[in-house]
Amino acid sequence: MENKHDGRQVILYIAMSLDGYIADKNGGVHWLMGDGSDSENKGSYPEFYETIDTVILGYKTYDQVANELFPDHWIYDDRKSYVFTHHQLPNTKLITFTDEEPVGLIEKLKKEEGKDIWICGGASIVNQLLKSDMIDTFCFSIIPTILGEGISLFHHHGMEKKLKLVSTRTYDGIVDLVYKRRL
């Protein structure tokens, strides 16, 4: 399928509950796991991770990854990370903290040589990029949990986006759905 953007692809790869939440009402992600039926299976993530060299995160996602999930080391230490924040934080060799608009940064990154760009989270960044039609591929890992309430992935933006299903995969009670934008 021909993509209207040349070069690097922008990929949303994210887990969500069956009812569409990416975090519980307190921002927690303790529920992000399969049903235990095949817990040794790592699913699509290891393969996906090899296709990217850039990670895009909002500050809440960054804070959760850095301080709750992996407090001893930066888990994406072999990739360049950009964290959108209004906090004045010092950049590191691999993490750039920026208050630039997500669409502008993605436009610049797409012009550079490299592998694909991963939109890791959060919902505000996803919705800004969705509104600007900047996401090429949507990869959803549907976790076998119904939260009932929480942080919704998609905001009410009033725009229809048509997608084409390109693959499915199941493991440990999780369903991976991969869609491409329909042009």
Side-chain angles (χ1 to χ4, degrees), residues 18-167:
L18 189 59
D19 51 348
Y21 297 109
I22 57 173
D24 68 20
K25 66 181 180 179
N26 298 316
V29 292
H30 62 278
W31 53 273
L32 286 178
M33 63 189 77
D35 63 11
S37 62
D38 187 17
S39 59
E40 297 301 312
N41 191 329
K42 301 290 185 219
S44 60
Y45 180 78
E47 296 162 29
F48 162 75
Y49 194 73
E50 291 305 312
T51 70
I52 59 110
D53 65 5
T54 306
V55 183
I56 305 294
L57 309 98
Y59 183 77
K60 288 178 189 173
T61 303
Y62 161 78
D63 187 56
Q64 190 168 54
V65 170
N67 297 314
E68 292 176 39
L69 300 176
F70 303 99
D72 297 330
H73 68 285
W74 182 237
I75 190 71
Y76 309 125
D77 64 356
D78 56 348
R79 304 293 190 266
K80 178 68 179 164
S81 297
Y82 292 88
V83 177
F84 290 98
T85 182
H86 294 293
H87 299 279
Q88 298 297 316
L89 299 169
N91 294 335
T92 69
K93 181 179 175 189
L94 289 173
I95 303 173
T96 298
F97 296 94
T98 181
D99 63 358
E100 187 173 350
E101 291 297 318
V103 171
L105 177 63
I106 295 298
E107 286 174 341
K108 281 192 268 185
L109 291 173
K110 284 184 66 71
K111 292 176 185 171
E112 297 175 0
E113 290 294 319
K115 293 182 175 183
D116 291 338
I117 302 162
W118 175 20
I119 308 305
C120 181
S124 175
I125 293 167
V126 169
N127 283 280
Q128 288 176 62
L129 295 174
L130 185 66
K131 185 176 180 181
S132 296
D133 206 26
M134 296 292 297
I135 301 173
D136 300 303
T137 303
F138 299 77
C139 304
F140 304 109
S141 292
I142 309 300
I143 306 300
T145 299
I146 296 172
L147 289 175
E149 62 182 331
I151 298 172
S152 180
L153 176 57
F154 298 115
H155 299 161
H156 300 283
H157 47 73
M159 296 174 14
E160 181 177 314
K161 296 290 181 182
K162 295 198 180 283
L163 306 175
K164 176 178 176 46
L165 181 66
V166 294
S167 71

Side-chain angles (χ1 to χ4, degrees), residues 162-180:
K162 295 198 180 283
L163 306 175
K164 176 178 176 46
L165 181 66
V166 294
S167 71
T168 62
R169 182 176 182 171
T170 61
Y171 56 95
D172 199 26
I174 297 170
V175 177
D176 282 351
L177 303 169
V178 178
Y179 294 91
K180 292 274 189 188

